[in-house]
Amino acid sequence: MLLWMLLLATARAAMGAVVEPVAVLHTWQRSVAGAGAFAAATILTSPMDVVKTRTQASSDDDTSLAVALEMLRQEGVLCFFSGLAPALLMAPAAMVQYTVIDPLRARFPILIAATIAGALSVTIKCPFDFLKTLRQNDPSNRTARDLFTSTFRDAGVTGLWTGYGATLARDMPYHLLKWGVYVQAQALFRAMTGLSAGAQNLLAGAAAGAIGATVVTPFDVIKTRLQVARGASGSVAIAQKILAEEGAAGLFRGLGLRLARIPFYTSITLATFDGIKDAFISANR
């Protein structure tokens, strides 16, 4: 029932032309808030992200738990933080997204603002996301620098944007749902509960993350397979292969981990972002 209320409210917001007032903050303050939110969520959820990537990259029927135990036995605990360096290098993309989202919301409806901010973020982060995916799925433990060098040598600069279309197909709906549902969920929890603002932001972020993660999981699986194969096949060919060999369930590999990670990740990111912003707003008065 709550899910349908949030989706209905988000759809109504999308059809309207409502813009929102923007808090008075310096650009650097929004950037710091975005970077802090991104770094906190990325580090805390890295183990789940690594296991999710390994699970999606494989066509075996192993569960996420079996994959995680095998990784621990073969590679040790540090393997759960593989790809963390290139993941953290995506911080500029997050900074751009979180820096521009509030000013855009002051001029456009939330879903238009989320589309612009999301497209900028995806374009900037795609090379680092590609290297992160390769690093997470590389038991030989080559460094991100080695992966960058081999990719550049084999495919040139454009090779670093392998999976860009699939990443857009995954991230754009996610960004639209994340911001649209988050704004509506904040209002809903504010009206329905006596929780603090921080708790409301955490719950709203979790709801937004859960909905977004479920909807875009097929695109995430295709993106992972495409990047691991280094663009050897196109997105459509990979989707057809998954459907032929694994059925529709293959497009939702790793959904359990995504539902464990993304709501947690999104709630931390959005709540931290709003928390740091609120601190700066208080300091600016």
Side-chain angles (χ1 to χ4, degrees):
M1 182 64 179
L2 178 61
L3 170 62
W4 286 112
M5 291 173 65
L6 289 173
L7 290 176
L8 180 60
T10 302
R12 286 175 175 171
M15 292 184 291
V18 178
V19 297
E20 302 177 24
V22 59
V24 178
L25 286 170
H26 299 295
T27 300
W28 72 266
Q29 292 175 326
R30 296 184 193 282
S31 297
V32 168
F38 174 82
T42 298
I43 293 170
L44 288 173
T45 63
S46 177
M48 288 183 281
D49 190 38
V50 174
V51 176
K52 183 268 300 180
T53 298
R54 292 284 184 96
T55 302
Q56 289 181 340
S58 172
S59 59
D60 296 335
D61 292 329
D62 293 339
T63 65
S64 297
L65 178 60
V67 170
L69 291 175
E70 182 65 15
M71 289 170 58
L72 184 62
R73 186 177 69 85
Q74 294 284 351
E75 304 171 52
V77 69
L78 290 180
C79 73
F80 294 109
F81 292 90
S82 297
L84 183 58
L88 289 174
L89 287 175
M90 289 190 278
M95 291 169 66
V96 169
Q97 179 186 166
Y98 287 99
T99 298
V100 302
I101 188 67
D102 282 341
L104 286 171
R105 284 167 60 180
R107 301 189 62 180
F108 304 105
I110 180 62
L111 295 189
I112 294 177
T115 298
I116 298 171
L120 288 171
S121 176
V122 171
T123 302
I124 295 169
K125 82 174 187 178
C126 190
F128 304 107
D129 184 59
F130 171 63
L131 292 174
K132 181 199 75 169
T133 300
L134 291 182
R135 183 72 180 83
Q136 289 177 339
N137 199 56
D138 184 28
S140 64
N141 288 323
R142 286 179 294 173
T143 66
R145 181 178 179 178
D146 291 337
L147 293 168
F148 171 85
T149 302
S150 64
T151 300
F152 186 79
R153 181 182 63 246
D154 296 340
V157 174
T158 57
L160 295 170
W161 270 266
T162 298
Y164 178 65
T167 305
L168 276 175
R170 178 197 67 175
D171 282 10
M172 292 311 298
Y174 174 73
H175 284 306
L176 295 176
L177 286 167
K178 178 182 76 173
W179 287 110
V181 173
Y182 180 62
V183 170
Q184 300 305 319
Q186 280 181 310
L188 184 62
F189 287 127
R190 192 177 301 120
M192 293 175 59
T193 70
L195 296 174
S196 66
Q200 290 170 12
N201 290 340
L202 282 170
L203 287 173
I211 293 170
T214 301
V215 171
V216 305
T217 290
F219 300 108
D220 189 48
V221 174
I222 293 169
K223 189 251 345 165
T224 298
R225 298 280 181 94
L226 184 65
Q227 290 181 330
V228 169
R230 301 202 181 195
S233 300
S235 298
V236 174
I238 286 178
Q240 291 173 336
K241 186 173 187 292
I242 292 172
L243 288 171
E245 297 180 357
E246 305 170 48
L251 291 173
F252 287 89
R253 285 186 65 84
L255 177 60
L257 273 173
R258 280 180 64 77
L259 286 176
R261 174 183 177 263
I262 297 297
F264 182 46
Y265 180 95
T266 307
S267 65
I268 293 173
T269 302
L270 296 178
T272 303
F273 178 60
D274 278 340
I276 296 175
K277 280 199 312 179
D278 290 342
F280 279 134
I281 291 170
S282 298
N284 290 344
R285 289 173 181 165

